[in-house]
């Protein structure tokens, strides 16, 4: 594996430092922020929800328009809340005029973006846009995160990202125009992966190897707790401005922890900051009540770690320089194009790339769609959101022992299939059985959450090291596209055809299950290093020591994606 030797050397240091107060401060800080992000990510459910509205004509004497539709063989008439009728001077009849003012039902919500900025009728798509812009921002924020974290360090990037995110989230409560609200929404999405992924990197880089796999699973649980808290806060506060302020103000409690956080010693060593690295490790040893190796041994170890890490970084740079020197920028541009298509170069790699990218797209579409479709899945959207977070806890925690015993492929297919069955069933439940609908929807939500968690692990184990990060980046883009589309399925398609979102999500889950069939089991086998290993199936069973190393490689590849 790339840089495996340097990783093992640093893991020796981590083992000597042990796990104590120093590590728990970093774990707690990241977990608290992870919990805090849930309400901002899913804010569209309560900040810009669908709200009952009635057209308010400009003066008395006007007539509301009506819409005729056929249901169960009978013609039915309902009020058209988007138009009103005026007398026509040309034909003596009536002309239909678009409404420009509405009276809103404030039974469930006091004030929302929907009612404040009239996001109904022809402007209804802006409710979905509000949610989608956040996901659109994460699409650009992911690569920015990698650049900043590698250039300026984990702590610096995390601290600045948290401060910016908190400031913008609080400031958005006082914005007076829809354009500014949407602009801030995009910027918050841009900062989302910067703080989330950098915190994840820092947490895993200071974690003892023997705890790393467990941490990679458990550290997702605060998101579920944040989702539960989001539903409870929205129930208590029905005004969107005060609600946004209430869920973001607790971020202030994170600031003292940021002050006491240390930089990742792994990053400091690789970048040659040996004195700072020694100070950090000495403080860690003091907090954890451990003893570091002698100074001379520690210095030799840091030099060796840096040297081996640099060897892995130097080769690609030398190759790029050689391309420029030998054939100029034209050949360099051609090589860049070739690297874009390397994921489709060989049959097995092409299969894995296409299957995983489609699965990431579908799972993100279903996961976020199920989170945002509270109106159709429950008479009480606040209860639905709270229970959605609750069912994620077993989805994140019980997945680990299941896949350790049964492997990756069969549980993946099972989670997709169960999710598809129960979500499609929702579309055929007769009106008046809202509790049955909610129970089925929550079961589907739990299964798709487990599938999402498992998909990251499975993809890391299927992809060869040679192109793993590039492929995971491609899959992340597919995931972001799915999450961007999901609000439009729930907010635009749902009101017209209430059963349509459930059919889309359920059929998508079945499609994901079918896509898994051509893949192979990876439990207990080495990760493929090269494309040739993948094509020839040269992935022998792991020894106990190799299995521990592969767990580390899996977690590190996940966080880099």
């Amino acid at each position: 594996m790339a840089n495996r030797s340097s990783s093992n050397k640093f893991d020796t240091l981590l083992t000597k430092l042990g796990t104590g107060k120093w590590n728990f401060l970093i774990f707690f800080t990241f977990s608290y922020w992870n919990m805090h992000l849930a309400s901002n990510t899913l804010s569209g459910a309560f900040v810009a929800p669908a709200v009952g509205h009635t057209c308010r004509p400009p003066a008395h004497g006007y007539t509301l328009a009506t819409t005729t539709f056929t249901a169960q063989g009978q013609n039915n008439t309902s009020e058209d809340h988007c138009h009103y009728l005026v007398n026509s001077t040309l034909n003596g009849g009536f002309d239909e005029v678009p409404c420009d003012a509405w009276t809103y039902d404030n039974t469930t919500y006091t004030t929302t973006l929907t009612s404040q900025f009239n996001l109904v009728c022809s402007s209804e798509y802006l409710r979905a846009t509000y949610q989608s812009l956040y996901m659109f921002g994460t699409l650009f924020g992911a690569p920015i995160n990698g650049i900043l974290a590698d250039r300026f360090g984990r702590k610096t990037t995390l601290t600045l990202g948290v401060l910016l995110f908190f400031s913008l989230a609080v400031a958005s409560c006082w914005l007076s125009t829809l354009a500014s609200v949407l602009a801030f929404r995009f910027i918050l999405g841009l900062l989302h992966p910067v703080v989330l992924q950098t915190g994840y990197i820092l947490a895993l880089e200071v974690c003892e190897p023997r705890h790393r796999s467990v941490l990679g699973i458990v550290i997702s649980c605060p998101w579920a707790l944040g989702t539960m808290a989001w539903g409870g806060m929205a129930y208590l506060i029905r005004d969107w401005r005060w609600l946004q302020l209430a869920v973001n103000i607790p971020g202030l409690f994170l600031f003292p922890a940021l002050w006491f956080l240390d930089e990742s010693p792994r990053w400091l060593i690789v970048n040659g900051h040996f004195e700072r690295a020694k100070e950090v490790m000495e403080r860690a040893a003091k907090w954890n009540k451990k003893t570091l190796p002698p100074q001379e041994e520690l210095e030799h170890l840091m030099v060796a770690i840096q040297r081996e890490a640099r060897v892995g970084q130097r080769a690609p740079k030398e190759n790029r320089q050689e391309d420029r020197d030998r054939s100029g920028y034209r050949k360099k541009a051609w090589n860049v194009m070739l690297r874009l298509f390397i994921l489709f170069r060989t049959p097995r790699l092409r299969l894995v790339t296409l299957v995983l990218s489609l699965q990431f797209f579908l799972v993100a579409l279903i996961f976020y769609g199920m989170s945002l479709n509270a109106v159709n899945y429950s008479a009480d959207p606040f209860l639905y959101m709270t229970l959605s977070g609750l069912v994620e806890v077993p989805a994140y925690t019980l997945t680990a022992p299941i896949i350790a015993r049964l492997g990756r492929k069969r549980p993946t297919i099972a989670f997709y299939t169960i999710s598809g069955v129960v979500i499609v069933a929702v579309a055929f439940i007769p009106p008046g059985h809202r509790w049955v609908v909610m129970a089925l929807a929550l079961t589907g939500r739990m299964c798709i959450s487990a599938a999402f968690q498992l998909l990251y692990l499975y993809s890391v184990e299927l992809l060869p090291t040679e192109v793993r990060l590039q492929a995971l980046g491609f899959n992340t883009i597919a995931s972001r596209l799915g999450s961007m589309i999901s609000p439009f399925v729930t907010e635009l398609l749902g009101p017209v055809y209430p059963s349509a979102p459930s059919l889309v999500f359920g059929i998508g889950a079945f499609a994901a299950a079918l896509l898994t069939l051509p893949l192979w089991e990876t439990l207990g086998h080495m990760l493929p290093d090269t494309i040739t290993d993948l094509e020839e199936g040269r992935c022998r069973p792991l020894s106990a020591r190799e299995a521990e190393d592969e767990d580390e490689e899996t977690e590190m590849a996940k966080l880099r994606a």
Side-chain angles (χ1 to χ4, degrees):
M1 296 290 174
N3 295 340
R4 172 66 58 81
S5 180
S6 62
S7 294
N8 285 343
K9 285 184 173 65
F10 187 79
D11 284 344
T12 301
L13 279 176
L14 285 177
T15 302
K16 291 182 180 298
L17 287 173
T19 301
K21 291 186 288 186
W22 181 74
N23 311 80
F24 286 130
L25 175 63
I26 296 173
F27 300 158
F28 170 79
T29 301
F30 172 72
S31 298
Y32 185 83
W33 185 252
N34 191 8
M35 180 173 65
H36 180 76
L37 283 177
S39 59
N40 286 280
T41 305
L42 303 175
S43 69
F46 301 124
V47 172
V51 179
H53 54 281
T54 304
C55 180
R56 193 170 69 235
H60 294 290
Y62 291 88
T63 305
L64 292 178
T66 58
T67 301
T68 301
F69 61 96
T70 301
Q72 299 179 350
Q74 297 181 350
N75 290 331
N76 298 275
T77 301
S78 67
E79 288 187 352
D80 181 350
H81 299 299
C82 297
H83 301 87
Y84 59 91
L85 301 178
V86 298
N87 291 324
S88 173
T89 57
L90 297 177
N91 55 24
F94 293 94
D95 289 332
E96 200 173 67
V97 179
C99 227
D100 58 5
W102 293 265
T103 299
Y104 292 95
D105 180 5
N106 295 327
T107 304
T108 305
Y109 306 98
T110 304
T111 307
T112 62
L113 284 177
T114 307
S115 57
Q116 181 173 343
F117 296 108
N118 293 323
L119 306 185
V120 295
C121 297
S122 62
S123 298
E124 189 170 13
Y125 72 95
L126 291 172
R127 292 196 301 109
T129 302
Y130 170 82
Q131 180 64 37
S132 186
L133 275 175
Y134 189 92
M135 303 302 180
F136 188 55
T138 64
L139 183 65
F140 294 94
I144 292 174
N145 160 70
I147 296 171
L148 294 178
D150 289 341
R151 175 69 178 84
F152 299 105
R154 293 18 173 164
K155 179 186 176 180
T156 302
T157 303
L158 178 64
T159 301
L160 291 178
V162 168
L163 291 174
L164 277 173
F165 193 101
F166 173 81
S167 301
L168 292 175
V170 171
S172 66
C173 303
W174 285 280
L175 297 176
S176 58
T177 65
L178 181 62
S180 59
V181 170
L182 296 179
F184 271 53
R185 187 72 175 153
F186 171 78
I187 298 172
L188 289 175
L190 194 71
L191 292 169
H192 175 105
V194 173
V195 291
L196 182 65
Q197 292 178 6
T198 304
Y200 191 62
I201 289 171
L202 181 59
L204 286 184
E205 285 187 346
V206 302
C207 181
E208 255 190 285
R210 62 195 179 102
H211 299 313
R212 196 169 286 143
S213 296
V214 175
L215 180 68
I217 296 292
V218 175
I219 211 164
S220 298
C221 290
W223 172 274
L225 298 177
T227 303
M228 295 166 61
W230 175 227
M233 290 296 292
Y235 173 79
L236 296 173
I237 305 172
R238 308 297 179 94
D239 183 292
W240 79 270
R241 293 185 187 275
W242 289 108
L243 175 60
Q244 284 287 88
L245 185 63
V247 297
N248 283 294
I249 281 297
L252 282 172
F253 298 116
L254 190 65
F255 291 178
L258 292 174
W259 176 263
F260 289 104
L261 278 187
D262 284 315
E263 182 56 84
S264 165
R266 187 190 295 263
W267 181 86
L268 290 171
I269 293 172
V270 169
N271 287 274
H273 305 298
F274 293 160
E275 289 302 319
R276 286 181 60 195
K278 281 195 293 184
E279 291 176 5
V280 169
M281 288 187 289
E282 287 171 357
R283 184 158 46 250
K286 182 180 178 180
W287 282 31
N288 292 351
K289 298 180 180 180
K290 298 289 183 178
T291 303
L292 283 173
Q295 288 291 324
E296 185 176 349
E297 180 184 341
L298 185 60
E299 289 176 2
H300 283 303
L301 194 57
M302 288 192 293
V303 170
I305 292 171
Q306 186 198 30
R307 184 186 300 118
E308 291 175 4
R310 289 287 174 86
V311 167
Q313 297 170 357
R314 193 180 303 127
K317 293 180 180 178
E318 290 174 351
N319 290 338
R320 290 195 293 267
Q321 182 63 41
E322 183 181 350
D323 288 340
R324 282 197 297 269
D325 294 341
R326 185 172 62 244
S327 304
Y329 288 99
R330 182 175 299 177
K331 184 163 185 176
K332 179 189 174 187
W334 174 250
N335 287 338
V336 170
M337 292 296 295
L338 288 178
R339 281 195 292 271
L340 291 175
F341 292 102
I342 192 173
L343 299 175
F344 302 91
R345 191 176 66 186
T346 59
R348 266 199 158 194
L349 182 57
R350 184 162 52 244
L351 170 67
V352 172
T353 300
L354 289 173
V355 167
L356 291 179
S357 60
L358 287 172
Q359 285 190 335
F360 268 95
F361 173 84
L362 290 169
V363 172
L365 174 73
I366 300 166
F367 178 83
Y368 288 105
M370 295 291 290
S371 300
L372 299 171
N373 203 26
V375 173
N376 288 332
Y377 292 148
S378 173
D380 188 339
F382 311 106
L383 178 62
Y384 177 80
M385 183 65 71
T386 302
L387 293 178
S388 291
L390 182 62
V391 299
E392 283 189 49
V393 175
Y396 294 146
T397 54
L398 298 181
T399 303
I402 290 174
I403 63 175
R405 184 175 182 84
L406 300 179
R408 282 48 163 157
K409 182 175 178 177
R410 286 184 294 171
T412 297
I413 294 174
F415 287 139
Y416 287 143
T417 303
I418 296 172
S419 181
V421 168
V422 297
I423 296 174
V424 167
V426 168
F428 299 98
I429 300 296
H433 297 78
R434 300 306 294 266
W435 285 102
V436 177
V437 169
M438 187 168 70
L440 291 174
L442 290 172
T443 303
R445 178 80 153 74
M446 179 176 64
C447 290
I448 207 64
S449 298
F452 210 166
Q453 179 81 357
L454 177 52
L455 181 58
Y456 274 100
L457 171 66
Y458 200 14
S459 60
V460 167
E461 294 180 344
L462 285 168
L463 293 162
T465 305
E466 186 178 351
V467 293
R468 183 172 296 127
L469 296 184
Q470 186 175 344
L472 287 174
F474 185 77
N475 293 336
T476 300
I477 293 174
S479 173
R480 298 290 184 263
L481 292 175
S483 61
M484 288 165 55
I485 294 173
S486 61
F488 292 96
V489 175
T490 59
E491 303 298 340
L492 297 186
L493 190 61
V496 180
Y497 304 102
S499 62
S502 296
L503 291 175
V504 170
F505 300 147
I507 293 172
F510 284 130
L514 292 174
L515 286 168
T516 310
L517 293 177
L519 300 180
W520 47 92
E521 183 55 68
T522 59
L523 176 65
H525 288 73
M526 291 186 66
L527 303 183
D529 280 330
T530 65
I531 297 176
T532 303
D533 290 343
L534 176 69
E535 293 301 319
E536 297 180 0
R538 296 190 303 212
C539 299
R540 63 178 175 80
L542 289 166
S543 66
R545 175 58 183 167
E546 288 171 334
E548 183 179 330
D549 290 341
E550 297 296 359
D551 285 342
E552 175 193 348
E553 181 73 12
T554 296
E555 293 302 331
M556 298 304 287
K558 282 170 62 179
L559 66 90
R560 292 189 191 107

